[in-house]
Amino acid sequence: MNTQEYFHFRLFFSKPGDMQYVSHLDLVRMLQRIMRVSKLPIVYTQGFNIHPKISPGPPLSIGVQGENEYCDFILFRNISLQEISAKLQLVLPLQLGFKKVVFLTNKQERKMEYFKYEKILIDPAEYRDGFRKFTDEFIKTKEWHFERMRKGKKREIDLKNAVVRIEFSDKLLMIKTISGATIFDILLDVYQIKREETGKLIIIRKELLPFNYFSASSRN
Amino acid sequence: MKYRPVKFQHLLPAVLKPSRYIGNELNSFRKEISANTVNFCLAFPDVYEIGFSHLGIKILYTILNEHNDCAADRVYAPFPDFGEKLISENIPLFGIESRVPLKDFDILGFTLQSELTYTNILYILELAQIPVSRKDRQENDPIIIAGGPCAVNPHPLSDFIDAFLIGDGEEAIIEIKDVVKKGKDSSRTERLQELSKIKGLFVPEFSGEKKIEARKYMKFGSLDKTHHNQLIPWQMPTHFRYVAEIMRGCSRGCRFCFAGYFYRPVREKNPKAISSQSQKEIENSGWDEAALTSLSTSDYSCIKELMKDLFKITSENKTSLSLPSLRADTIDTEIISLLSRMRQSGLTIAPEAGSQRLRDIINKNISEEEILKSVKIALQNGWKLIKLYFMIGLPLEDDSDIDAIIELVNKIIDLSHKKLRINITISPFVPKVFTPFQWSKMESRSDLLRKAKRLKGVLSRYRFIKVSYHSVETSILECVLGRGNREVGKLIYSAYRNGAIFDSWREYFDFENWQKAAQSNNIKLDEYLAEIPISENLYWENIDIGISKKFLISEWEKAKQKKTSADCRDGKCIACGVCGNGIIPDFVRNDDFQVETIQKL
C-alpha cells in the first residue's frame, strides 16, 4: 500500500486566438511536455509510456477559444504556490496565457462532474441580425426538441434544458450544460449556422461553472 | 500590397486538422518578412505532419534565420480540403509563420525527397498563384529552387524549377542568399545567371551541358556549430521526437542504395557535441523521445560510448532513445541491452534479399547467421517485435530467391517459437540513378505482383505475422520520374492537370492519371523501365555527385559475377571516386574522443 502523500494542484490558463485550432489531445501532449520541463516534483504515470500524470478539464472543441481552462497535476512534495507559479510561467508557451495555480483541498473539486456548466460568449460578426431574431425565438419557445446521433444512436434533447441562461445584446452570452448539447449543436439548430460556416464567428468559453452554481429559480 | 499577411482562419472550421496551418510552433523564429531582408520560404511538398518531421528543412531554416540579412519561413502542402477552399476564395498560399503570400518571397525552395511528391510541387505553385512553368514567370515572381536527394536528376522537373541545388545545402544556401541580396536591383534573369555561377547549382536556362559538381559539407563533424532549439509543433507529426543527426554518408556500398552513394564521404559528428546538444535540448524542451539518425547508426565509430552517455541523460529525464537504421551484423548483446534499458523493444532488420546469393549480388553484406544471431539476442532480452524489410524484383533475381525469403522467415519463426510478432514489408526494387544498378531494368508489373502475392499468401498464414507491400504502380512511377529526361516534364504536367496530387497517398494515387498523361504526350512508360545499355549516354550525365562512372560500371559487372565489395571503413579503399580535393571521410575514433581523418589508401 503506497503511503506517499500527494498534493493536487490546478493550473488555470487561457487558449486564445489561433490556439483554438489545436485539438484537445495535442493540448494535453503539450501540457505533459511543459510539466516535464518545469522541474517541479511531478508525479509520473507508470508503465511503458511514462509521462506526467495530469488531468485536463473538459475538452474545448476546435474553433472555441478558452479564457479559463484548467489542468490538474500532482506533486509528490508540497511547495509554495508562489514557486509553482513562477516555474510554470517560465515554461508555459506564450501562445497559452498563464492565469493562476490553486491548491485543491477538496476531492470533490477534482472530479470531472464538478464543473457542470460553461459560460459561452459568441461574437456573431455578420450574422448579428439573425442572432437577435433567433435568440428571441428561442427564449419565447417553451420546449425545443433537438435530435442528434451520439455513438450510433439517435438521442433527443430538449435544448431548453441544456441552455440555462441566454441573452443577446450585441454579442450572445449563454450558460449551458457541458454535456447534453454542444455549442455547435445549438448554432446549427437554433441559429442555422453549419459547423463549416462558423469560422467567421468568435466563440469563447469564458469560464466553467460548478454543479451548484444555480438555484432552481434563476433559469429563463 | 506586398508582404501583407492573408486572412484564412475563417476557413479552418471546415477542414481536417486545422492546426496544420497555424504555425506558431515553439522555438520558431517568426522573423518579419519585409523588403529589408532576403526572404526565403522553404517548402516541403507533402502535408504538415510528414514535412515537419524532415530534418533538412529545419537545418536550412536555422542557418538562414541566424543571419541578420535574411528571413526564412516555411510552407507545407495544404491537404486537398484546404487547398480547395484557398482556390475558391482566391486566397494565395502563404508562409506558415508570417502568413505572407509565397509570391511575395524572394526565393521559394522545395526539398525533393521523393519523386512521388513532384505533382505536389505544381500544386503548391498553383495555390501560391505563381506560374507553374518557369518560362511563364514574370519579373516579380520568386525564384523557385529545388534541392535534396532527387535533385541529382533535375531534368524531369526542369520545366518548373528555376535552379537546382545539388548536394549539401548548408553552405550553398548562404551563397544563394548573397547572390539574391546583391541582385535585388537587377533583373530576375540576371539573378538566375549569377546563380548559375555558384558551384553545385544547375540552372536549366543557363547551365547548358556544363558539368555540375555536387556540394559536400565538410564541416559536418565540427564541434563549434551552435544549435538552435528544435521546433516543437502543436500538431502531432509522424515523428515527434528530438532528432540528432550523428553521421552522414555510408561506406557499405549496397548496390541498390542511392542514399549511400549520394551522401558520401562518411562524416561523423563529434560524440561530445551530440551528447551536450542532446542534453540541452532534452532538458530545455522536454522531449519524451530522442532519435539518433544516420544511414547506418550502428556503424558510427563510438556508438556504444555515445549510447552510454545518452542513457544517463535520457533516464534522468524519462526520455526514451530510438536508433533507427541499425544493421543486423553490428548488433550485439551490449547494444541490445542498452536499447532495452531505453525502452526499445522492436528490432528492425533489412536483409533485402532472402538468399545469400542475391545478398552478394546486391552487396548487402550480412549473413543468415548474423541475422539469426541478432534475433536470438533480441529474444533473450525480452523483445517482442521484429520488423523485416525485403525487396522483390532485384537484378538477377529468380524464383528461388523468393523461396529463400520464406525459408528465412520460417527459420526466424522456429528460433522464436512463435513468441515474436513479425512485421514484414516488401518493396518492389526501383533502379536508382548514381548506383551500380542504375542501368538495370525494373521488373515487370505482372512478375512483381506474382511474387508479392506468393509471399503474402504463404506468410500471412500466421496470426503473428503482418505483411505489407508497397504498391507496384507507385514504384513504377518512381522509376520513370527518377530516371527520366525533360520529356517526363510533360508527363508530370499532364498528370497534374488530370488531377494527380498526393501521389504517395493511397487514397489519392490514381495510376490512370499517369497512363492518360503518357498517352496524350506519346510517352511510353516502359522505355524508362527497360535496361539501359552501358554504352548509352545517361540523361543525368551532366551531374557529378563524386562517384565515378567507371566505379559504378565495375560494381555492376561484379554484381553480375556475384562478387561482393568491401566496406572502405575497414581500411580498404575501393576507389569509388568521391575522395579528393579536400573531400575525405571524417571518422570519429575511439581514443579519447579525438577526431581523426583517414587518408585515402
Side-chain angles (χ1 to χ4, degrees):
Chain A
M1 177 74 187
N2 194 2
T3 52
Q4 166 80 52
E5 204 189 334
Y6 290 139
F7 304 92
H8 295 259
F9 294 89
R10 179 162 288 171
L11 162 69
F12 283 93
F13 61 92
S14 64
K15 193 174 177 258
D18 278 351
M19 291 296 104
Q20 68 185 283
Y21 301 111
V22 174
S23 75
H24 180 71
L25 199 54
D26 288 332
L27 173 71
V28 169
R29 265 190 281 259
M30 186 59 83
L31 291 170
Q32 284 167 349
R33 198 193 54 80
I34 64 142
M35 289 294 171
R36 214 184 255 274
V37 182
S38 69
K39 301 267 188 299
L40 287 167
I42 300 261
V43 171
Y44 279 77
T45 60
Q46 304 299 312
F48 187 70
N49 180 14
I50 298 172
H51 56 263
K53 202 167 181 170
I54 63 170
S55 305
L60 260 177
S61 303
I62 287 184
V64 180
Q65 301 179 42
E67 251 174 42
N68 273 293
E69 302 303 307
Y70 74 83
C71 172
D72 294 348
F73 56 98
I74 313 171
L75 301 185
F76 56 81
R77 217 171 52 235
N78 196 1
I79 54 181
S80 72
L81 280 179
Q82 204 178 25
E83 191 184 338
I84 298 175
S85 298
K87 289 205 156 100
L88 286 178
Q89 280 184 81
L90 266 178
V91 298
L92 191 72
L94 289 168
Q95 295 89 330
L96 299 174
F98 177 88
K99 299 226 103 155
K100 64 180 180 193
V101 179
V102 301
F103 182 49
L104 295 174
T105 43
N106 173 353
K107 243 190 176 174
Q108 198 186 37
E109 277 182 276
R110 276 146 53 180
K111 296 217 163 113
M112 241 325 195
E113 305 80 55
Y114 179 77
F115 286 107
K116 193 172 175 191
Y117 308 99
E118 49 186 7
K119 186 192 276 183
I120 309 289
L121 179 75
I122 301 182
D123 186 338
E126 62 198 50
Y127 302 105
R128 201 166 303 272
D129 291 335
F131 264 65
R132 183 167 290 119
K133 180 175 119 201
F134 291 122
T135 308
D136 285 340
E137 216 179 284
F138 183 73
I139 292 173
K140 284 193 203 120
T141 315
K142 216 166 169 225
E143 285 170 2
W144 192 295
H145 286 288
F146 168 68
E147 248 175 36
R148 67 175 198 187
M149 297 297 282
R150 274 293 179 270
K151 294 182 185 167
K153 283 195 183 148
K154 214 187 261 184
R155 283 171 207 275
E156 253 199 49
I157 300 161
D158 179 357
L159 284 182
K160 297 291 291 190
N161 286 333
V163 179
V164 176
R165 186 163 289 162
I166 186 163
E167 69 188 37
F168 184 81
S169 48
D170 71 324
K171 296 196 176 83
L172 180 69
L173 188 64
M174 81 170 120
I175 298 178
K176 59 176 275 299
T177 53
I178 292 174
S179 59
T182 68
I183 300 167
F184 295 102
D185 289 335
I186 295 167
L187 282 171
L188 180 62
D189 216 63
V190 178
Y191 296 92
Q192 297 176 13
I193 300 177
K194 294 192 198 129
R195 182 77 190 256
E196 52 273 23
E197 292 164 351
T198 57
K200 296 207 170 123
L201 305 171
I202 297 175
I203 309 171
I204 304 176
R205 179 155 81 184
K206 302 287 284 177
E207 59 182 309
L208 295 159
L209 304 170
F211 68 97
N212 53 10
Y213 186 76
F214 289 103
S215 56
S217 57
S218 55
R219 282 153 163 259
N220 66 345
Chain B
M1 208 180 74
K2 211 176 179 188
Y3 307 124
R4 192 184 7 209
V6 304
K7 294 236 180 319
F8 65 94
Q9 287 89 333
H10 60 284
L11 302 171
L12 294 182
V15 303
L16 291 170
K17 299 193 179 177
S19 59
R20 283 168 171 160
Y21 311 110
I22 60 171
N24 257 308
E25 301 99 333
L26 297 161
N27 301 327
S28 55
F29 280 91
R30 277 189 273 175
K31 270 191 173 178
E32 196 196 341
I33 305 296
S34 72
N36 300 328
T37 45
V38 177
N39 302 312
F40 279 75
C41 192
L42 301 170
F44 192 99
D46 209 325
V47 81
Y48 182 85
E49 299 92 281
I50 293 178
F52 186 88
S53 309
H54 175 62
L55 186 62
I57 282 204
K58 291 186 217 179
I59 293 175
L60 295 179
Y61 169 78
T62 301
I63 291 173
L64 287 168
N65 279 316
E66 283 176 348
H67 283 75
N68 289 330
D69 55 354
C70 65
D73 197 341
R74 293 161 292 126
V75 71
Y76 305 88
F79 210 59
D81 58 353
F82 188 53
E84 261 169 46
K85 294 247 177 291
L86 290 175
I87 292 175
S88 65
E89 300 231 348
N90 195 22
I91 297 173
L93 186 57
F94 49 89
I96 204 173
E97 295 179 12
S98 63
R99 283 93 192 264
V100 165
L102 259 44
K103 59 184 172 181
D104 290 348
F105 284 77
D106 297 307
I107 296 171
L108 178 57
F110 287 95
T111 179
L112 307 178
Q113 295 295 314
S114 155
E115 294 87 354
L116 300 176
T117 60
Y118 284 7
T119 48
N120 278 2
I121 293 172
L122 276 61
Y123 186 50
I124 288 174
L125 287 171
E126 195 141 73
L127 289 174
Q129 299 172 4
I130 296 170
V132 164
S133 298
R134 68 174 164 81
K135 298 205 170 117
D136 297 334
R137 283 168 203 151
Q138 306 289 318
E139 204 46 45
N140 288 324
D141 285 320
I143 291 181
I144 313 297
I145 297 187
C150 297
V152 298
N153 180 12
H155 302 295
L157 285 175
S158 305
D159 288 342
F160 318 108
I161 305 290
D162 295 313
F164 293 84
L165 168 50
I166 319 289
D168 293 330
E170 280 97 335
E171 285 161 339
I173 198 83
I174 297 301
E175 291 164 28
I176 291 171
K177 180 261 294 174
D178 288 337
V179 159
V180 172
K181 183 179 180 184
K182 258 195 217 132
K184 275 251 188 188
D185 295 323
S186 4
S187 70
R188 193 174 187 275
T189 310
E190 281 163 350
R191 262 176 270 144
L192 283 173
Q193 214 160 13
E194 284 305 302
L195 284 175
S196 72
K197 296 179 186 161
I198 298 178
K199 181 178 168 204
L201 248 64
F202 172 67
V203 179
E205 197 179 335
F206 293 110
S207 296
E209 296 300 317
K210 180 172 101 175
K211 195 98 172 175
I212 311 290
E213 266 179 60
R215 296 294 292 257
K216 306 273 179 193
Y217 181 53
M218 295 316 294
K219 298 204 187 103
F220 178 78
S222 70
L223 245 176
D224 60 351
K225 179 87 183 72
T226 50
H227 188 267
H228 181 77
N229 281 336
Q230 283 187 0
L231 293 170
I232 300 174
W234 289 96
Q235 167 81 37
M236 186 75 159
T238 48
H239 293 297
F240 190 27
R241 58 196 184 185
Y242 165 65
V243 176
E245 193 188 2
I246 65 173
M247 185 171 74
R248 217 173 265 189
C250 179
S251 50
R252 294 283 186 152
C254 301
R255 292 177 179 136
F256 55 85
C257 178
F258 165 76
Y261 294 103
F262 174 64
Y263 287 107
R264 282 183 185 194
V266 174
R267 290 151 284 164
E268 295 184 342
K269 228 179 211 153
N270 184 292
K272 280 208 158 75
I274 300 172
S275 299
S276 67
Q277 280 168 5
S278 303
Q279 178 159 20
K280 187 166 153 264
E281 271 272 359
I282 290 170
E283 284 176 1
N284 291 345
S285 299
W287 293 101
D288 63 3
E289 190 187 330
L292 301 182
T293 59
S294 73
L295 290 173
S296 180
T297 302
S298 41
D299 285 343
Y300 177 75
S301 300
C302 306
I303 186 65
K304 288 184 190 167
E305 287 70 17
L306 180 62
M307 282 173 77
K308 286 179 189 152
D309 240 20
L310 289 173
F311 173 62
K312 229 171 119 265
I313 301 166
T314 53
S315 60
E316 271 166 20
N317 291 279
K318 300 185 181 38
T319 303
S320 72
L321 185 69
S322 84
L323 264 69
S325 315
L326 287 175
R327 276 185 66 111
D329 54 340
T330 43
I331 289 175
D332 58 21
T333 319
E334 201 175 354
I335 288 189
I336 297 257
S337 84
L338 277 166
L339 285 172
S340 301
R341 285 153 80 198
M342 292 189 250
R343 293 187 273 134
Q344 288 304 303
S345 60
L347 181 66
T348 302
I349 309 178
E352 308 297 1
S355 67
Q356 195 58 49
R357 181 195 79 94
L358 192 51
R359 280 198 292 274
D360 288 346
I361 288 172
I362 65 177
N363 206 38
K364 181 86 191 213
N365 295 321
I366 51 173
S367 67
E368 190 172 281
E369 200 187 319
E370 284 161 339
I371 295 170
L372 295 175
K373 182 173 146 225
S374 57
V375 172
K376 212 170 170 183
I377 298 173
L379 278 166
Q380 284 166 352
N381 279 269
W383 285 27
K384 297 269 183 302
L385 171 68
I386 300 266
K387 289 188 212 169
L388 294 169
Y389 287 87
F390 290 101
M391 279 191 275
I392 49 174
L394 286 162
L396 307 160
E397 179 184 271
D398 59 43
D399 283 347
S400 70
D401 298 305
I402 305 298
D403 292 336
I405 294 179
I406 298 171
E407 280 163 34
L408 178 59
V409 174
N410 278 328
K411 285 191 180 143
I412 293 175
I413 295 173
D414 289 340
L415 196 62
S416 68
H417 304 293
K418 303 189 182 171
K419 283 205 190 108
L420 278 173
R421 272 189 303 126
I422 305 179
N423 290 352
I424 305 176
T425 303
I426 297 166
S427 311
F429 163 72
V430 177
K432 293 283 178 191
V433 301
F434 294 107
T435 65
F437 290 160
Q438 65 184 348
W439 294 278
S440 167
K441 71 168 173 36
M442 184 165 168
E443 186 139 0
S444 75
R445 195 169 167 188
S446 52
D447 277 331
L448 286 169
L449 284 170
R450 179 179 60 81
K451 289 175 179 177
K453 273 206 178 103
R454 167 153 166 76
L455 286 168
K456 191 150 196 193
V458 173
L459 298 171
S460 297
R461 274 189 226 153
Y462 301 99
R463 267 184 305 115
F464 50 88
I465 297 190
K466 196 169 83 174
V467 184
S468 59
Y469 55 104
H470 284 170
S471 132
V472 169
E473 278 88 18
T474 55
S475 302
I476 288 173
L477 189 59
E478 259 183 69
C479 188
V480 173
L481 299 180
R483 292 203 301 193
N485 53 359
R486 289 208 172 174
E487 280 296 293
V488 171
K490 298 190 187 128
L491 178 74
I492 296 171
Y493 186 79
S494 297
Y496 173 69
R497 284 282 166 241
N498 292 343
I501 49 170
F502 286 91
D503 289 306
S504 59
W505 290 63
R506 198 170 293 168
E507 32 299 45
Y508 284 96
F509 178 67
D510 186 351
F511 200 43
E512 243 187 77
N513 288 331
W514 294 90
Q515 286 167 317
K516 283 199 194 126
Q519 228 173 11
S520 60
N521 286 290
N522 251 331
I523 292 174
K524 294 199 169 50
L525 296 180
D526 285 342
E527 279 176 11
Y528 296 93
L529 310 178
E531 175 157 351
I532 304 174
I534 304 261
S535 52
E536 213 172 277
N537 226 28
L538 299 163
Y539 299 131
W540 48 96
E541 210 78 65
N542 63 322
I543 308 291
D544 176 11
I545 67 163
I547 309 291
S548 79
K549 192 172 178 183
K550 215 168 115 187
F551 169 76
L552 293 176
I553 292 174
S554 87
E555 283 292 297
W556 183 212
E557 292 304 322
K558 274 174 104 172
K560 291 176 185 166
Q561 294 159 38
K562 305 187 194 63
K563 289 199 182 128
T564 59
S565 292
D567 183 343
C568 70
R569 185 189 276 269
D570 298 331
K572 188 162 181 265
C573 171
I574 54 171
C576 71
V578 80
C579 295
N581 294 329
I583 311 259
I584 45 169
D586 187 5
F587 298 109
V588 175
R589 299 277 241 159
N590 246 336
D591 5 275
D592 299 324
F593 280 10
Q594 260 179 350
V595 177
E596 253 186 65
T597 53
I598 295 180
Q599 296 304 311
K600 181 185 169 176
L601 296 166

